[in-house]
Amino acid sequence: MGRGGRRPFPVRPREVAAAPSADNHGVALRPDEYHAVPGVGDGRPAIADIHGSCDALLASGWRRDEIASQVTETGESLPIPAYLNSTSVDRVLIGGIHGREPAGAIALARYAGRLAELGRGEGILLLPLLNPWGYSRHLRYGPSGQSVSDSDHLLGRAEAPACSEAAAITSFVLDAVRVNPGAAVLDLHEDPVYEDPSYHLEGHGSYLYVSGDGALDHPVAQRVYRCLEASSFPLIKQGVTRFGERLVEGVIVDTEDGSIDELLARKRACCPVITTEIALQGEATPPLAERVATYLGVLDAFFGP
Ligand SMILES: [Zn+2]
């Protein structure tokens, strides 16, 4: 699954998950990592292509801010940009926190043209690819072995940020931008269940985390729910995630996982905060193109008619 660490485990979930994530399934690294197509073979484009599509927003008056960067062994710096059309936003879009979950970042990049139109009517913050280092290497976490957007240090559960990216990304969303109360958040993940051979999730499809006061009944959450329900990846109604969370009608409500989503729900009163998951049985199972197409539909549902 999902996000940074997962509660309600007595053991820190991210420590449990760190071991399998160190194996990137033999994905070869390329020189000029920024412009190279990652060697995963699932059809994901170069980091530069993701950013290039988003850069088209600049012609519509959007701003690009560099939140942080991740440095490779060869000294190459991989930027982590944010795109925004206002310093006061009512929508937040997040992708690419976990490197084995590329569909969200790709869908967000492909949605940039539509965002240029939607941005005429409301303030939008786009964080398309928060972990480019993990994306190009097919690794869940960043170079430090920690979730790049872990927010526990701001939720009273850790003394210090988990890593430099977590410090920069959380500071950016809380301090550099005004995310308004009631802002709707969509964080596009996938659940590479194949990371844990001992785990079995009953059924194939998707599930959701929804947070915020009354968030499940919010029209935005309802639209996303119905969109996934009607998609190629219908909601898995019952089961338990790898992180011990029980699905109720395909949803986990108000989880405490130390993610940036929990941070935005608690510290900025965002509502609904929606985290989507598509269960993956392998790197290219189901095919990436189908997952991206589904997430493009989810983006339409998130913004509504
Ligand atoms: Zn994830």
Side-chain angles (χ1 to χ4, degrees):
M1 117 100 242
R3 307 181 280 177
R6 284 267 155 226
R7 244 140 288 265
F9 259 135
V11 180
R12 303 279 305 160
R14 66 171 177 238
E15 288 167 14
V16 173
S21 277
D23 172 13
N24 72 341
H25 295 229
V27 172
L29 295 177
R30 309 289 171 85
D32 188 8
E33 203 168 316
Y34 187 69
H35 293 95
V37 172
V40 190
D42 62 354
R44 73 183 69 179
I47 300 164
D49 291 343
I50 300 277
H51 291 169
S53 299
C54 298
D55 285 346
L57 289 165
L58 305 182
S60 299
W62 288 54
R63 192 174 95 197
R64 172 176 164 153
D65 283 359
E66 305 293 338
I67 304 175
S69 62
Q70 294 171 307
V71 179
T72 71
E73 296 87 335
T74 60
E76 184 180 354
S77 182
L78 306 174
I80 303 175
Y83 298 84
L84 56 162
N85 65 344
S86 169
T87 51
S88 166
V89 302
D90 291 299
R91 302 271 188 173
V92 181
L93 300 169
I94 304 172
I97 286 178
H98 295 139
R100 291 178 176 174
E101 307 169 16
I106 299 167
L108 288 169
R110 286 189 32 195
Y111 207 67
R114 181 77 182 116
L115 287 179
E117 297 167 26
L118 291 163
R120 291 187 201 120
E122 55 191 332
I124 302 171
L125 170 62
L126 168 63
L127 308 169
L129 181 53
L130 287 179
N131 181 15
W133 187 94
Y135 172 90
S136 74
R137 290 142 192 261
H138 196 54
L139 289 171
R140 179 178 179 84
Y141 297 124
S144 66
Q146 302 288 339
S147 182
V148 296
S149 51
D150 187 282
S151 302
D152 272 349
H153 61 295
L154 296 169
L155 291 164
R157 303 190 193 113
E159 296 272 317
C163 55
S164 59
E165 301 98 309
I169 291 167
T170 55
S171 164
F172 184 84
V173 299
L174 292 190
D175 304 328
V177 186
R178 178 178 163 77
V179 178
N180 293 318
V185 177
L186 180 64
D187 185 3
L188 298 167
H189 283 251
E190 304 186 85
D191 184 358
V193 296
Y194 60 85
E195 280 184 345
D196 182 359
S198 66
Y199 169 76
H200 179 68
L201 179 64
E202 208 53 63
H204 291 234
S206 61
Y207 61 93
L208 289 170
Y209 294 83
V210 177
S211 298
D213 205 10
L216 204 47
D217 294 324
H218 193 287
V220 171
Q222 288 287 310
R223 286 199 304 268
V224 169
Y225 186 97
R226 288 195 300 269
C227 172
L228 281 173
E229 186 61 357
S231 76
S232 315
F233 307 108
L235 291 161
I236 302 166
K237 293 294 177 63
Q238 291 175 25
V240 177
T241 72
R242 282 191 286 153
F243 302 92
E245 301 149 318
R246 186 166 295 282
L247 292 167
V248 177
E249 292 300 309
V251 182
I252 297 148
V253 177
D254 288 331
T255 191
E256 296 184 354
D257 59 6
S259 67
I260 193 170
D261 306 324
E262 185 190 356
L263 182 74
L264 288 167
R266 287 177 191 256
K267 299 295 183 186
R268 287 296 176 265
C270 293
C271 183
V273 177
I274 303 167
T275 310
T276 58
E277 303 278 351
I278 296 173
L280 308 181
Q281 284 75 42
E283 278 87 355
T285 311
L288 181 55
E290 282 179 35
R291 290 140 52 195
V292 172
T294 294
Y295 275 171
L296 287 168
V298 166
L299 282 161
D300 277 338
F302 177 75
F303 283 98

